[in-house]
Structure formats: C-alpha cells, structure tokens
Amino acid sequence: MTQKLRPIPDEELVGACVARAEKGSAFVDSNLAAERREVLMYYQGKKPFPLRAGGSQFVSQDVYESVEAIKAQLTEAYSAGNNIVAFAPQNGDDVQLARQATAYCDYVFFRQNPGLEIHNGVIHDSALNRLGIAKVYWDKSERSTGYTFDGASPEDANALIQDPEVQLTAKPEVHEDGTVSGEFDRVEDTSQVTIDVIPPEEFIVSGRFKRLDRAPYLAHVSRMTLSDLVVAGYDPKVVYTITGSYDDLSLNEEKMLRDEDTIVTGLDDDAEDEAGRMVTVHESYIRIDAEGTGRQQLWKVVHVGATLLEKQKVADHPFVVYSMLPEPHSLYGGNFAARTIQHANTKTTLTRAIIEQAVEATNPRWQVARGGVANPRELIDNRRGGIVNVRDVNNSVAPLPQTPINPMVMQTIGMVDQSREDTTGISRLSQGLDKGALSHQNSAGLVEQLTSNSQVRSKVMARHYAVQFLAPLFLKIYAIAIEHDRKRILEIAGDFVEVTPSQWRNRQDVRVDMTLGYDERDRQAQELLTYDKYMKETGGRLYDESKQFNVIRKVLEIKGHKNTQEFLNDPSKLPEPQPDPKSEAELAKLTKETEVLERETVLKEQNFALKASLDQKEAELKEQDQWFAQLIKTRDADRKDDETANRIDTSQAELELAIHTAMNAPEENTKTSAIISPNG
C-alpha cells in the first residue's frame, strides 16, 4: 500500500490534467456544443433555413424574444439597487464588521466590476447554453506613471528614493550647487478582485457530480500571447520554450459563429513576432493526491500543452455557475432557449405559407391555351399598363387555380404563441404587449394582479439565481479579500470608513434581498412610509427620533440612494438644539404668565384655606359661647341654690338661738324675743 502512495511528478500531473481536459472536451463537443450552436443560430435569426430558392425568407424570432424577455426580467430584478447581498452578523460584536463586508463586496461587484454586465452575461449564457459561468479571482496589477524632479535638495531626493512606490529610471544627477535631478516611475498597486463572465466553450468539466465544489476536474481555457504570459508573471525562460501552436480555440465553431458577422476569419490574428504568438492556456483545477499523503486535494495547474507554468495547492476553485432551469441530480439543468425552437419552426412555416400565398395572389401563375398568346414574353412582363396580345379574350388566358389558405392557420399561430407562453412562463401581459389587458373593464389592481401572476416563474428563476450564483459569488469575493486585499476607504452608512479585510472573520452564509424589481421596491418603500405615518400618530414612546431616522434611511436605500447623509442627519450625531430667540422670548412670556397663574392659584388656595380656617374658628367660638352660656346658667342656678340653702341655715341657726335664749332666760316675769330672718 505504501508503495502506491507516492508524490506525482510534474510531468504526470500535467498529463493527468491534459487527459481530463480531453475527456471533458469530448463530452462537451459530442453532447452540448452541437446544441449550443443550434440554439445560437435560432437566437440570431439564421434558422430555420428557407425551404426552397425564391421562397419566403421570414424567420420567427420566438427564441430571441423569449431569451431577451427573461433576460430583461431577471436582470431588472437585481439591478434595481445595491446591497442585494448582505452578510448577517454572527453576534452583537460582529454588526459593524458585517456591515463593512457587505459594503466592500457591493463595491467590488458594482464599482470595480461591471455588475450589470455580469448579471446580463451570466443570465444570457444560462438561457442559451444551460449554464452561465463566472470566474472570480485576484488580479494582480500595477500602474506606472513617469515623473521628473529637478533642483531638489539631497534630503528631499533621499526621501523620494526611499518611497517604496518609487522606482528610479535613471541615476540621479548631482549639480554643483548640491541640488539633485532625476527621473522616476511611481508604481501604484491596482490589484483587485476581478469577475469575468466565461464563454461556455472556454469552460471544461470532467467527471460525474452535482455540485461544482465536488467536481474532480475544472478548467478555464483561454487564448493568450506569449507576451501576456510573461506579463502575468510566468518565467520567460519557460514561456518561450513552448513549441507548436496549441491554439485550439482559434477555430472553435461556437466562437466563430458568434463573431462571423463582425470578424472575417479566425486566422487574422497571426503575429509577426514570437511574443505575439497565440497559445491556448489551461488553468486547471484537479483533485488529486499529488503529495502522496493518501488524501486528494485541490491543485491549480496552469499549463500550455505539456509545458507546466504554475502549480500550487488551493482551497477552492474560482468558478460560480447558474442554471436557469435547474434539474435535480444534474449540474447543467435544462436549456431554456431550446424549448422554444419548436415554436419558432412551426410559426415560421405557417407564416411563410401565408406570405408566399399573398405573393402568388399578387403575381399569380397563368394557364394559357396553346397558341392563345402571340408573344408569351408580354404575359410575364409586369410593367404597369402593359399590353398582352391574345387570340380570344375569354378563353386564351386565365389564372392558374390555387388552393386557398386554411382558415385555421391564424388560429394555429395563436395557439403556438400560447404554447410558447406556457413553456417559457413569459406572457405578453408581463411584457406589456397585451392591449386587451388595458380595457375599461379591467381595473389597475386587476392588471397589476394579472401581471404579477404571470411573472411567478420568472421570480422563481430569480430566486434560483440568488441562491445558485449571487450568494456563492459574494462568498468568494469575501474570501479573496481576506487573503489578498489591503486597507480600503469605503462609504458605509454615509461615513467614510477604513476597512481591513485581512482582519475579518471567515463567513459561510449571506442573505440575498428577495425584493425583486423596481415595482416591488416601490411597494416596500411605500409600506415603510405608511408605517412611519401610523407610528407618528400612535407610537408615542415606542417611536422616537432615532427610529424615524432608521425608517426614512431605509426608504432612501430601497429607492437606490446610496448617500443618505445628503438627505438626512443622524440624530445621534447632532448637537443639542439651541433655543430660538423668538421662541425663547415666547417661552419666557409663557413662563411669566404661568408663574402669575400659579401665584393667583396659590393665593386663591390660601384664601380658601384662610376662609375655611376662619369658619372653623367661628364655629369653635360659637360652640365655646354656647358652652359658657350654659355654664353660666348652671352656675347661676347653683348660686341660687346655695343662697337658699344659706338662708335656710341662717334661719335655722337664728331659731335655735332664740330657743336657746328663751330657755336660759331668768324666771322673772320678763318678756323674751328673737329676730328671725323673713326669708328663713
């Protein structure tokens, strides 16, 4: 077993890539290339060919119309604004980094690369060729600008030379006065993430698989000059050892078919020098145990024929694909355009029959009795007002009878159009071509509902595009940025922020905005404005200034305005509001009036309290008066009782004294008297 596990030499590694590429090309040429060429000719309006010479040249544009309609709907869905794809925060501390990553990937896709053209190209290839293919990679490049300096001081010249972006093109010249002159190039690093739409004939796959990340072999085949290879950084000593043309793509039938209306021949790019010689470069990604460890890993192998230019182990391949009609257990899915070829053929045949019959009715064939026309040339001369000499006006010449056109032809054409709508899911109503939908009986809401229902299948295709293509594409942009990119200044939420992709964390999930198209974005914006109005009226403490700012900012972003700070001020960054002098004076006046009212209220309250206290005191005094009056009456009665008792006691004492005096008087015959009080 250990003898079987061994490192694979470079020659065998290149040979394995060449063998896989040949197998993949053979499969494509025998199964897919013929279909793609057929579909392309129908799309260009070159098929079906005329059935006979001199017949109608009409060609139905069903294939072209269907492809362009679905392209318009899907492209419009994802070109209605930016921030289509967003990275979701993984925790509370990740909110700012997720926002930076979203802004960076959006910047790469729409500003560093032609985002709209990428959408259009991938969707176009998917409709015609089953798969739309894009390649995401780090394009290392530099931009050099020449400068001169004269009369610089030695210190300034030395500082300039020490600049890492400066490359001297000639030795500096020191003058007698000590100043320095010279020439230099300032080299600016313009490397960036690049996204290319790959033509189908330049993409090779080999093996059985469903998901692209499990493919055993992938390759991008492209034409480059030997000079291009040297500029790309490959060793010139190796590049100029390449023998033979190896220019397999120069006569590729698909490429020539696309370019035949604009390019005369595929051999007009022959170079006069060796550096301009074209070769076919294979950038292969093969899963193989090249190190003899017993585990297959993904290797990037760049080669021209059997000449190896680069070999390195990589974590992932750079390709992202989209299938408009995905099928389970298949990478390629169905061919959207091929399904409309039968409709194009049928409609072309029927329409040609109508046209040819109209032509024959205008210029009919004639039946002529033998000898009925003196000069047959006069009969075929179509000059207006021409004369034909006949022997018998009634019997010499008559139009050749024709079979009338079948009255069901027009109905059949309508049935073909309906069948194409059923097949593609694209109706005349959804394209705005159905005049019957705008009748007086149909309200705007009904027309909108019919249009929305007719676009359901295209919306499903758009969602497949989001899951299959956009999400993996942005994840690859993110991963490449972490590995290669330096600091950049980006505008995020109205502020210019310095982002450093190398410090970001790895991510495996993104969120794709499924609000498709301008109409749905307008509807979403209107819903937010309605919510804002409702919350202003009923929200109270639940809806403060910061919440209102977030809602209006979201509305502007949905409508496609990136610089929301031009329209809104962030409440958290505003200074404390300064009072208006007029308002301040009015406030002071109101405050004084309030104070007066408060004082009047206090006085009224005090008066009311004093009156209540006085009333209470009066009641208490009245009660005391009544008590004292009663007490006086009681005391007067007691006094009288005491006086009566005293008089009684006095009278009793006087009586007793008189009796005592009488009893103790001398026995002489004297008269004894006593005084008794009359009140006794």
Side-chain angles (χ1 to χ4, degrees):
M1 181 65 66
T2 56
Q3 294 178 353
K4 295 181 180 180
L5 298 177
R6 63 178 181 83
I8 298 178
D10 292 346
E11 295 79 6
E12 294 185 17
L13 181 62
V14 174
C17 292
V18 171
R20 291 290 185 94
E22 290 178 352
K23 290 181 180 179
S25 298
F27 168 78
V28 170
D29 291 340
S30 60
N31 294 274
L32 299 178
E35 177 190 80
R36 295 198 298 243
R37 291 193 298 270
E38 181 83 359
V39 170
L40 181 59
M41 294 188 70
Y42 274 92
Y43 174 80
Q44 293 176 340
K46 298 176 180 177
K47 274 193 172 185
F49 298 127
L51 297 179
R52 58 185 179 83
S56 173
Q57 305 292 319
F58 174 83
V59 175
S60 174
Q61 301 294 322
D62 288 68
V63 176
Y64 173 82
E65 292 173 358
S66 300
V67 171
E68 291 302 311
I70 196 63
K71 278 172 55 181
Q73 292 186 9
L74 298 188
T75 303
E76 187 266 350
Y78 289 104
S79 61
N82 296 339
N83 294 329
I84 298 170
V85 181
F87 291 91
Q90 299 179 5
N91 51 53
D93 299 332
D94 191 39
V95 175
Q96 186 62 27
L97 289 179
R99 188 177 299 166
Q100 290 182 10
T102 300
Y104 174 86
C105 293
D106 191 76
Y107 168 80
V108 168
F109 188 79
F110 283 103
R111 296 181 62 180
Q112 289 189 334
N113 293 273
L116 180 61
E117 293 182 11
I118 294 171
H119 285 314
N120 186 76
V122 171
I123 294 171
H124 176 90
D125 287 344
S126 178
L128 290 179
N129 309 311
R130 295 178 180 257
L131 280 185
I133 309 149
K135 180 182 178 183
V136 191
Y137 61 97
W138 180 256
D139 184 15
K140 188 172 180 59
S141 60
E142 296 177 342
R143 181 170 56 196
S144 179
T145 307
Y147 295 93
T148 61
F149 62 95
D150 188 15
S153 65
E155 294 78 10
D156 293 341
N158 186 57
L160 183 64
I161 294 173
Q162 296 299 324
D163 190 337
E165 293 186 353
V166 170
Q167 295 180 358
L168 294 176
T169 57
K171 184 178 179 180
E173 180 182 356
V174 181
H175 302 289
E176 295 180 356
D177 58 356
T179 59
V180 183
S181 301
E183 298 178 357
F184 67 92
D185 288 340
R186 182 173 294 278
V187 181
E188 180 184 1
D189 186 6
T190 57
S191 302
Q192 66 172 52
V193 180
T194 300
I195 307 171
D196 292 334
V197 180
I198 305 300
E201 70 273 7
E202 295 184 4
F203 183 65
I204 299 177
V205 295
S206 178
R208 296 182 179 180
F209 55 92
K210 171 62 174 72
R211 294 171 48 185
L212 201 63
D213 56 355
R214 297 181 181 178
Y217 178 81
L218 301 168
H220 176 211
V221 184
S222 60
R223 301 181 71 205
M224 300 178 67
T225 65
L226 298 183
S227 175
D228 293 335
L229 293 175
V230 174
V231 172
Y234 298 115
D235 188 355
K237 297 180 181 179
V238 178
V239 169
Y240 285 99
T241 61
I242 298 174
T243 58
S245 64
Y246 295 108
D247 194 5
D248 302 332
L249 287 176
S250 61
L251 297 178
N252 182 271
E253 293 186 33
E254 295 179 63
K255 180 178 178 60
M256 295 178 65
L257 185 61
R258 283 198 305 268
D259 299 337
E260 68 177 359
D261 294 335
T262 55
I263 299 177
V264 177
T265 176
L267 301 177
D268 58 353
D269 51 2
D270 292 337
E272 291 77 11
D273 59 347
E274 182 66 9
R277 180 159 60 90
M278 301 290 296
V279 294
T280 300
V281 182
H282 284 69
E283 183 180 323
S284 301
Y285 294 84
I286 184 172
R287 295 191 182 277
I288 194 170
D289 180 18
E291 298 176 331
T293 61
R295 297 179 58 186
Q296 285 189 334
Q297 294 176 303
L298 188 64
W299 287 82
K300 175 184 176 182
V301 182
V302 182
H303 60 97
V304 178
T307 303
L308 177 64
L309 299 178
E310 179 186 353
K311 179 187 75 171
Q312 64 171 327
K313 186 164 49 178
V314 294
D316 195 9
H317 61 78
F319 305 108
V320 185
V321 298
Y322 166 59
S323 175
M324 184 175 292
L325 300 178
E327 297 178 358
H329 322 300
S330 173
L331 171 69
Y332 290 96
N335 192 312
F336 176 86
R339 283 170 164 76
T340 62
I341 289 179
Q342 58 179 342
H343 306 99
N345 287 335
T346 304
K347 197 171 178 180
T348 299
T349 301
L350 295 176
T351 306
R352 284 176 178 176
I354 296 174
I355 293 173
E356 290 182 1
Q357 187 176 40
V359 172
E360 291 178 359
T362 305
N363 298 280
R365 298 179 64 188
W366 299 94
Q367 56 182 359
V368 182
R370 186 182 298 274
V373 178
N375 185 3
R377 289 185 177 276
E378 294 177 349
L379 188 63
I380 62 176
D381 187 356
N382 290 327
R383 288 182 299 173
R384 188 180 299 274
I387 298 175
V388 179
N389 295 300
V390 296
R391 297 184 183 278
D392 186 347
V393 175
N394 296 321
N395 299 321
S396 295
V397 179
L400 187 67
Q402 297 183 23
T403 303
I405 194 72
N406 193 322
M408 300 296 293
V409 168
M410 299 304 298
Q411 184 177 353
T412 304
I413 292 178
M415 293 173 57
V416 172
D417 288 336
Q418 182 62 47
S419 176
R420 178 170 62 86
E421 292 182 7
D422 296 339
T423 301
T424 61
I426 303 172
S427 66
R428 294 175 60 85
L429 179 62
S430 65
Q431 300 179 70
L433 303 178
D434 191 353
K435 298 180 181 179
L438 301 178
S439 63
H440 295 289
Q441 292 80 11
N442 294 338
S443 64
L446 178 59
V447 173
E448 181 179 357
Q449 181 179 2
L450 293 173
T451 304
S452 179
N453 292 338
S454 66
Q455 293 177 339
V456 170
R457 290 176 62 179
S458 61
K459 291 181 180 180
V460 172
M461 294 178 185
R463 283 166 170 77
H464 282 304
Y465 182 76
V467 175
Q468 293 180 26
F469 183 78
L470 284 182
L473 176 70
F474 273 62
L475 285 173
K476 287 185 183 294
I477 294 174
Y478 181 87
I480 293 173
I482 292 179
E483 182 178 358
H484 295 284
D485 207 356
R486 59 191 184 279
K487 294 182 180 180
R488 290 187 182 272
I489 305 296
L490 298 179
E491 184 179 0
I492 301 175
D495 294 330
F496 289 95
V497 180
E498 183 182 86
V499 299
T500 308
S502 59
Q503 298 179 359
W504 294 344
R505 65 183 66 187
N506 292 326
R507 300 178 187 274
Q508 299 297 328
D509 60 329
V510 294
R511 175 179 56 83
V512 181
D513 185 5
M514 293 298 183
T515 304
L516 306 177
Y518 291 96
D519 293 338
E520 292 196 21
R521 292 182 182 275
D522 291 342
R523 190 179 299 113
Q524 186 183 30
Q526 187 59 44
E527 289 177 358
L528 288 174
L529 292 175
T530 303
Y531 168 79
D532 174 67
K533 181 179 179 181
Y534 172 78
M535 292 302 293
K536 284 180 180 177
E537 297 173 352
T538 62
R541 296 176 58 189
L542 298 177
Y543 195 66
D544 56 14
E545 191 178 41
S546 62
K547 299 295 188 296
Q548 183 182 1
F549 168 76
N550 292 333
V551 170
I552 301 303
R553 182 178 64 180
K554 184 64 176 177
V555 170
L556 291 174
E557 291 176 352
I558 290 173
K559 298 293 288 183
H561 299 285
K562 292 287 291 181
N563 302 324
T564 57
Q565 76 279 0
E566 295 181 358
F567 310 99
L568 295 174
N569 290 322
D570 190 346
S572 63
K573 299 179 180 180
L574 292 177
E576 291 295 329
Q578 299 297 325
D580 183 26
K582 183 177 179 180
S583 300
E584 199 171 24
E586 293 179 355
L587 179 61
K589 180 180 178 181
L590 181 61
T591 303
K592 185 176 292 185
E593 293 176 353
T594 303
E595 291 178 354
V596 172
L597 291 175
E598 289 178 351
R599 290 177 182 177
E600 291 179 354
T601 302
V602 170
L603 289 175
K604 289 181 180 179
E605 291 177 351
Q606 290 177 350
N607 291 334
F608 179 78
L610 181 60
K611 184 176 182 302
S613 177
L614 291 175
D615 292 342
Q616 184 178 0
K617 292 296 183 182
E618 289 178 357
E620 291 177 355
L621 290 174
K622 187 175 181 180
E623 184 179 355
Q624 289 180 359
D625 289 343
Q626 292 176 354
W627 184 78
F628 280 118
Q630 183 66 29
L631 181 62
I632 290 172
K633 290 181 179 180
T634 303
R635 293 291 177 87
D636 187 53
D638 291 343
R639 181 183 59 78
K640 290 181 179 181
D641 291 342
D642 290 342
E643 290 178 354
T644 302
N646 186 34
R647 286 194 297 269
I648 293 173
D649 290 342
T650 302
S651 299
Q652 186 68 30
E654 291 177 348
L655 179 60
E656 290 178 354
L657 180 61
I659 294 174
H660 178 70
T661 302
M663 290 182 64
N664 293 321
E667 294 181 356
E668 290 89 2
N669 190 16
T670 58
K671 188 176 179 180
T672 303
S673 62
I675 299 173
I676 300 173
S677 176
N679 297 325

